[in-house]
Every structure is written in C-alpha cells, then in structure tokens.
Amino acid sequence: MGLMTEQTLPHPAVDEGESRPVWPAIWRGIKNRCPHCGEGRLLFNYLSVHDHCSECGQSFSGHAADDAPPYITMVIVGHLLAVPIVELKRHFDPSLEFQLFLWLGLAISMTLLLLPMSKGGMIGLQWANRMHGFGEDGDDPEDLLRE
C-alpha cells in the first residue's frame, strides 16, 4: 500500500448529500466563524473573506455576497434609528447640530459594526443552501456562460 499524499486525501469539508442547517450556518457566519465547522475564522481585514477554513478546509472562494450585506445593514440601521429620531424630535426638539452629531455618529457606528456580521450571515446562508461555489455540482458562474 502506497503512502497517501496531501493531494490524495479526501477533502474534509465535502459533505455530499448531508443536509446543511440554515440557521446555525447563518449564526456561525454572523459570529465570523466557518459555517461548516464553526471553528475557523471567516473574515479578515474587516470584510475580506479567507480562501478556506483553517480548521476544516471548507473553501470560501465561491461565495457571492456582493451587494446583499450593505442592503441588509442599511435596512437594519434605518429601522433601528427611525423611531428614536422621530420621538426625540417630537418630545425634546433638540438643535439641528446636536441631532446631526448624534444620529450620524450612531448610524456610522452601527453600520461599521453590522456590516461584517451581515456579510458573514450571507455567506453562511449561501453555504447552507449550496448556492454559488458551495454546491457539489460545480455551479461556478463561468459554467453559466458556457451554456
């Protein structure tokens, strides 16, 4: 029996046919963890995605989060700030400068906090649903151009 090299070993992240639970995968992505194993880091340098998981070897190269995380973040921040903005103005009528400083600061802070979380959650959702590069059948966007 010959020695098995790294190239001949089965890929540990291949789970053909196994169901992938959606909510745990999204939650792991929100926590900046691999949606497959929950151990390795998903993002680095704020929004850059690792090529693969350092723990289980799951490839992240096929993700296509694109514009969804910013839209999700804008919806969440807008909904969380809309009522306080209206109520503060209605009850206390603070100066325009105070409101600009307060709401702009909160909006920027919340956006910077939520954007990596929404990107990780979107990648977790894509992994769980076998979307883009996370499927077994090679659903690479280049394949669509060949058809």
Side-chain angles (χ1 to χ4, degrees), residues 17-138:
E18 290 183 23
S19 67
R20 295 178 178 177
V22 175
W23 289 110
I26 293 172
W27 182 244
R28 288 173 180 164
I30 289 171
K31 294 189 309 184
N32 192 22
R33 297 290 175 208
C34 170
H36 182 251
C37 69
E39 296 297 321
R41 308 265 310 162
L42 183 60
L43 304 174
F44 69 99
N45 289 342
Y46 188 60
L47 290 177
S48 300
V49 181
H50 284 285
D51 291 333
H52 63 279
C53 176
S54 61
E55 300 296 319
C56 72
Q58 172 69 51
S59 173
F60 301 132
S61 60
H63 84 86
D66 300 332
D67 293 337
Y71 288 123
I72 292 167
T73 302
M74 287 188 302
V75 167
I76 292 171
V77 170
H79 279 82
L80 289 176
L81 290 182
V83 172
I85 288 171
V86 171
E87 291 301 314
L88 182 73
K89 178 69 175 166
R90 195 177 105 194
H91 292 294
F92 301 107
D93 195 25
S95 69
L96 186 59
E97 293 82 15
F98 174 78
Q99 290 184 71
L100 182 64
F101 176 76
L102 176 67
W103 301 126
L104 194 57
L106 275 173
I108 290 171
S109 301
M110 291 172 67
T111 300
L112 292 175
L113 176 71
L114 291 174
L115 191 55
M117 296 168 72
S118 62
K119 184 168 185 172
M122 182 57 61
I123 293 171
L125 175 69
Q126 291 175 355
W127 176 84
N129 289 315
R130 290 177 164 77
M131 296 167 65
H132 307 293
F134 295 119
E136 292 88 17
D137 57 354

Side-chain angles (χ1 to χ4, degrees), residues 1-5:
M1 185 192 260
L3 293 174
M4 291 184 77
T5 63

